[in-house]
Amino acid sequence: MNYRVPQPVPQVILDDVRGAQKMLSGVSRVTAMEGSRHLSALTGSPVHFKCENLQRTGSFKLRGAYVRIAGLRPEQRAAGVVAASAGNHAQGVALASSLLGVRSTVFMPVGAPLPKVAATQEYGAEVRLHGQVVDEALMAAQEYADSTGAVFIHPFDHHDIIAGQGTVGLEILEQCPEVRTILVGIGGGGLAAGIAVAVKALRPDVRIIGVQAAGAAAYPPSLKVGHPVSVEDPNTMADGIKVGRPGDVPFKIIGELLDDVRTVSEDALSSALLLCLERAKLVVEPAGCSPVAALLSEPERYGGGPVVAVLSGGNVDPLLLQRILRHGMAAAGRYLSLRLRVTDRPGALAGLLAVLSEVDANVLDVSHVRTDPRLGLTEVEVELHLETKGPEHCAEVARRLHGAGYKVTG
């Protein structure tokens, strides 16, 4: 289904963002700006986090949703609003609607995390589960809007949404007036476009760099050909920026105002989430970590002045968080899995564990395989999952095992 808005694409200007800031006074929070000593040392420039993960509803989405719904005419408000989302936009629309006294219906995929479904309901929306992916929920929401007259609230492809998200940029300039580079994650592009409108109008010297997950990076090919193109089967843990096609309105702004768009790997995203949790004591979802992932991946690109990384959201499902942390530990060289063969006799496992204890490796899990036809009659394969202190410690563990006569098979 085609979600393109009619041409010509409306422009968003600084006055729109300033108007949105007045509208949001007392509604959205002016979120904190926190420094990161670790990333500052890594890049050679002061690095600050703009903590939209601490915003009401746990992400920046409330800003744009409130401005969009507040701008509806009385008869439109009476008809109610409808949206589709797997999480953050759903909660932003639900709370904004409740604050404004507007009835809201939100379509979410059947597999949406239960905490996000519950939060959306608690903010006052009627939740309808439909389809397996967000695109199917979007189609259902638009059909609902066509049949009931409810106003469809798009997550990023609207003038008012972008103006509301742009208030993040105004706050950055107020909180860190010496900023030289802003890093912001990009899905459909509403947040990056809004920040760019606000910041470039007041500080054209500030670099604004968008960050996409490599498995869902629609902007680089779109910018190359000059119009939005779709990515087939976008795939990333960062569901907040897992968008297959740029929005028409933000694409025009981003094409004109952003200095660059970078991509980051899944390993970098999980490592960034782990860093935010351990070093900054901040719970940040994978999409919100994408600017941090860019800093970790290419720290040398961001010298020459203060950097602000926008942590766009903190709504992460606990089960997903558990998997991502494990992945992040492995990416950081702190989680080592290996298989080796030992003689199948009493005390053999105790001897292996003694070697690991000497090298200070923490055993998380251990299992035996005795039925593999590749094993000798007196052999058993042992699979180990270890917690280590980093890549150098992993290498030390391998050397110690080899020195003790163990044959590592994988």
Side-chain angles (χ1 to χ4, degrees), residues 33-44:
M33 187 84 77
E34 299 287 344
S36 171
R37 286 187 293 179
H38 177 75
L39 289 174
S40 297
L42 195 64
T43 62

Side-chain angles (χ1 to χ4, degrees), residues 86 113 116 212-216 234-243 264-274 284-290 293 315-317 320-329 331:
K116 294 185 179 182
Q212 290 206 288
N235 183 28
T236 175
M237 69 175 75
D239 59 346
I241 54 175
K242 187 180 177 181
V243 177
V264 293
S265 68
E266 298 298 287
D267 280 354
L269 286 168
S270 57
S271 295
L273 187 149
L274 188 61
V284 187
E285 63 190 90
C289 286
S290 56
N315 293 317
V316 56
D317 179 57
L320 176 62
L321 179 61
Q322 185 180 37
R323 295 198 298 270
I324 292 172
L325 289 175
R326 190 179 300 119
H327 187 270
M329 289 180 67

Side-chain angles (χ1 to χ4, degrees), residues 199-341:
V199 173
K200 288 293 188 179
L202 297 169
R203 287 280 308 282
D205 59 302
V206 174
R207 287 192 306 166
I208 303 178
I209 298 175
V211 184
Q212 290 206 288
Y219 265 89
S222 297
L223 292 169
K224 185 175 181 180
V225 299
H227 59 82
V229 297
S230 298
V231 171
E232 295 295 329
D233 299 321
N235 183 28
T236 175
M237 69 175 75
D239 59 346
I241 54 175
K242 187 180 177 181
V243 177
R245 182 187 183 280
D248 293 271
V249 184
F251 177 79
K252 185 175 188 296
I253 296 168
I254 285 171
E256 292 175 356
L257 298 181
L258 252 66
D259 295 277
D260 196 7
V261 176
R262 312 296 298 175
T263 61
V264 293
S265 68
E266 298 298 287
D267 280 354
L269 286 168
S270 57
S271 295
L273 187 149
L274 188 61
L275 182 144
C276 288
L277 191 61
E278 287 190 324
R279 299 296 184 95
K281 315 306 177 191
L282 292 169
V283 176
V284 187
E285 63 190 90
C289 286
S290 56
V292 180
L295 290 167
L296 289 174
S297 301
E298 301 177 292
E300 70 282 354
R301 296 182 64 92
Y302 305 106
V307 179
V308 172
V310 181
L311 307 183
S312 58
N315 293 317
V316 56
D317 179 57
L319 295 177
L320 176 62
L321 179 61
Q322 185 180 37
R323 295 198 298 270
I324 292 172
L325 289 175
R326 190 179 300 119
H327 187 270
M329 289 180 67
R334 292 169 51 191
Y335 185 78
L336 177 63
S337 298
L338 51 84
R339 295 188 305 276
L340 45 82
R341 295 179 183 180

